[in-house]
Amino acid sequence: MSNSQANIGVIGMAVMGSNLARNLASREGNTVAIYNRSAEKTRAVAAEFPDAGFVASETIEDFAASLQKPRTAIIMVQAGRATDAVINQLVEVFEPGDIIVDGGNALFTDTIRREKAVRETGINFVGAGISGGEEGALLGPSIMPGGSASAWETLGPILRSIAAVVDGRPCVTHVGTDGAGHFVKMIHNGIEYADMQLIAEAYDLIRRGTGKSPAEIADIFAEWNTGELESYLIEITAEVLRQTDAATGAPLVDVILDQAGAKGTGAWTVQTALDLGIPVSGIAEAVFARSLSSKPAQRAAASALPGPDGDFTVADVDAFVEDVRLALYASKIIAYSQGFDAIVAGAEEYNWDIKKGDIAAIWRGGCIIRAQFLNRITDAYAENPGLVALVTAPYFTDAVAGAQSAWRRVVIAAAQAGIPSPAFSSSLAYYDGLRADRLPAALVQGQRDFFGAHTYKRVDRDGTFHTLWSGDRSEIQAVDTH
Ligand SMILES: NC(=O)c1ccc[n+]([C@@H]2O[C@H](COP(=O)([O-])OP(=O)(O)OC[C@H]3O[C@@H](n4cnc5c(N)ncnc54)[C@H](OP(=O)(O)O)[C@@H]3O)[C@@H](O)[C@H]2O)c1
């Protein structure tokens, strides 16, 4: 295998890599080289899809030789050590000017580290977030590449050719340098956690408040999917709720164990946001809700704890369902607003020039959080690129203003009924915190000054102050120890 036929290569022939390779092969002008650590998988993929015309290699040397220069290879293997192992192999057989793309779900700080190390060899390294699962990889994902501008020049046309397309625009943009792409993909996944949790809370409230069956609630979600909530996640929620279990005849949702799994990107988002000092409370509650669900021993031990007296039934079913819809919409706006706050903070911390409107635009297709709603975010940043909080954009302010009474009623109903709604209620608390004239943070500052001499600022004059709490309680000018 030495006659350099392929213009792009894919390493890792599990579901994502093989589907991405097939997607690439289906686009005009591409010849795709494939390689996998276990050669039998490479052979199997080549045999199963002869029309793709794959150039299959069984060694990394043959794989490199099968690529035209400058070589471009996309790695689709497990994040972490597997990715490092493949990068190390590629660096041995690639040359300066070649491009290594990591399309896995890498932690962005790993991508920053890898980019720096690979750059020293003269080889380009691009960390690219790819969203859309198996189907997206095959038919058109949303792609969030980082890396250098020069690598993007070569890579851009290839990625544009395989990405999802919305309104004639491919769902891919050069996000920023080094780890920017994986950072934005991480935030995407964090928002996805929040969105899913909010939908789950909406379902739970409607089911327990109205007694409707999952199939009936599926109809409600299908209806919601024709309005401002229109999105992939709402659409698939209807599908899941409508599904009947073949073995028992029960709704499938009733036979699925209620312990939600996680692969870590939601937790990464929250950990990163904590480091950046950005409250992503909706995302955090979604991550914690999955953790709580997956603690069977604690849940069993707590199952006899008292809840409110009496049954929860709503008087006006239609009005309640509409309230829940509005609460879901308002909470979703908060989740996205918090996610974009984290993007802004990350861009500042890591010196990335991230165009927020472009990010919203490339999330409109291919990815799991794809939704009509994202057009509004693009519009909001187009109108005001310096927007300090998405929820303060006129469109979203109006939307929340129209929803907030319903949102409050739903949170009250949930609390009174003892139905957990952590994402609904924390989003509302965040909203009220953000819009408050005065916060009890003033008292917290007083407490901090009392026990730790941490000092405080005053509302009526400049400077930093400390009260002599264990002395005569007079106030002195102090050195800022915030
Ligand atoms: N599944 C999804 O919906 C989805 C969505 C977005 C992103 N992703 C990301 O896409 C990447 C690929 O996902 P996936 O589900 O297709 O596959 P995966 O199960 O994450 O990884 C399996 C692949 O990794 C290879 N591999 C494992 N350890 C290796 C090592 N030490 N050296 C070389 N290769 C090694 C395997 O090769 P062998 O066959 O030799 O074991 C196989 O090709 C991951 O980073 C994942 O997080 C997945």
Side-chain angles (χ1 to χ4, degrees):
M1 188 67 50
S2 56
N3 50 337
S4 315
Q5 313 160 50
N7 63 317
I8 179 94
V10 180
I11 297 182
M13 286 296 113
V15 58
M16 287 294 286
S18 57
N19 278 1
L20 198 74
R22 288 169 61 202
N23 183 351
L24 283 159
S26 71
R27 313 292 165 163
E28 199 171 331
N30 283 341
T31 303
V32 183
I34 59 171
Y35 171 76
N36 190 72
R37 179 181 61 174
S38 326
E40 63 270 19
K41 224 177 247 176
T42 316
R43 270 179 246 136
V45 170
E48 196 181 345
F49 306 105
D51 293 349
F54 289 135
V55 182
S57 296
E58 301 202 358
T59 67
I60 196 81
E61 290 80 10
D62 283 350
F63 173 77
S66 72
L67 287 165
Q68 295 162 8
K69 294 180 189 177
R71 303 176 182 90
T72 305
I74 303 177
I75 303 171
M76 292 301 290
V77 304
Q78 265 164 24
R81 256 184 250 151
T83 303
D84 278 319
V86 174
I87 292 168
N88 290 341
Q89 281 185 306
L90 276 179
V91 165
E92 293 298 314
V93 294
F94 271 23
E95 294 168 352
D98 292 349
I99 302 173
I100 298 173
V101 183
D102 173 19
N105 264 341
L107 179 59
F108 76 97
T109 46
D110 283 346
T111 303
I112 292 174
R113 167 180 60 79
R114 289 169 181 147
E115 197 275 340
K116 190 161 178 275
V118 173
R119 192 179 347 124
E120 279 167 18
T121 68
I123 298 168
N124 296 288
F125 183 80
V126 174
I130 300 183
S131 177
E134 301 174 25
E135 193 186 280
L138 182 61
L139 302 175
S142 174
I143 313 176
M144 294 148 257
S148 68
S150 60
W152 170 242
E153 259 175 53
T154 309
L155 213 51
I158 298 172
L159 297 184
R160 271 195 284 271
S161 76
I162 59 165
V165 177
V166 175
D167 297 338
R169 186 172 169 177
C171 293
V172 55
T173 189
H174 182 220
V175 175
T177 52
D178 55 53
H182 277 136
F183 180 89
V184 164
K185 170 67 182 357
M186 176 187 75
I187 302 293
H188 163 284
N189 284 27
I191 293 173
E192 175 185 313
Y193 272 63
D195 217 340
M196 291 169 72
Q197 174 65 22
L198 290 166
I199 291 171
E201 289 177 17
Y203 149 76
D204 200 27
L205 281 160
I206 294 175
R207 186 152 185 201
R208 291 168 67 175
T210 70
K212 284 184 184 290
S213 69
E216 289 169 327
I217 302 173
D219 290 341
I220 292 172
F221 277 95
E223 165 69 24
W224 288 358
N225 202 38
T226 62
E228 56 201 354
L229 281 172
E230 190 265 301
S231 62
Y232 172 72
L233 282 171
I234 294 281
E235 178 192 330
I236 65 162
T237 299
E239 302 269 336
V240 174
L241 289 175
R242 215 185 298 285
Q243 184 73 14
T244 301
D245 174 45
T248 61
L252 180 68
V253 73
D254 287 348
V255 297
I256 295 178
L257 189 67
D258 60 345
Q259 295 175 18
K263 281 197 169 169
T265 45
W268 288 350
T269 305
V270 179
Q271 284 159 350
T272 303
L274 286 173
D275 289 341
L276 293 169
I278 301 299
V280 290
S281 46
I283 299 169
E285 290 297 350
V287 174
F288 291 146
R290 290 196 196 186
S291 311
L292 186 151
S293 77
S294 302
K295 298 277 177 288
Q298 284 186 332
R299 289 177 59 190
S303 64
L305 293 179
D309 293 331
D311 288 338
F312 173 51
T313 37
V314 299
D316 185 337
V317 169
D318 289 345
F320 181 71
V321 169
E322 177 59 5
D323 276 1
V324 172
R325 187 187 72 80
L326 288 166
L328 176 55
Y329 190 46
S331 304
K332 181 175 160 134
I333 291 169
I334 296 301
Y336 279 73
S337 193
Q338 293 180 340
F340 275 88
D341 284 351
I343 290 177
V344 170
E348 240 168 65
E349 175 74 17
Y350 296 98
N351 269 326
W352 296 319
D353 179 21
I354 299 182
K355 309 265 185 305
K356 280 94 65 185
D358 287 356
I359 301 304
I362 66 164
W363 287 349
R364 291 179 307 162
C367 65
I368 305 298
I369 62 171
R370 60 183 181 261
Q372 274 304 317
F373 164 82
L374 288 154
N375 279 324
R376 302 297 188 174
I377 299 181
T378 305
D379 292 347
Y381 283 116
E383 272 163 35
N384 179 5
L387 192 62
V388 292
L390 188 61
V391 67
T392 64
Y395 175 83
F396 294 114
T397 304
D398 286 352
V400 174
Q404 67 147 331
S405 301
W407 195 10
R408 294 182 194 286
R409 283 193 294 274
V410 168
V411 170
I412 290 166
Q416 280 178 335
I419 298 174
S421 60
F424 273 176
S425 49
S426 80
S427 304
L428 181 57
Y430 171 87
Y431 172 73
D432 283 333
L434 203 59
R435 65 178 196 84
D437 279 346
R438 285 282 290 167
L439 287 169
L443 176 58
V444 171
Q445 284 296 84
Q447 293 164 330
R448 295 178 69 238
D449 190 57
F450 188 102
F451 66 69
H454 291 302
T455 74
Y456 51 86
K457 308 266 189 209
R458 295 180 58 98
V459 294
D460 53 359
R461 56 183 195 272
D462 288 343
T464 300
F465 301 90
H466 168 59
T467 290
L468 299 169
W469 295 104
S470 45
D472 65 0
R473 303 214 164 178
S474 60
E475 185 179 74
I476 59 167
Q477 288 267 356
V479 176
D480 192 341
T481 61
H482 279 73

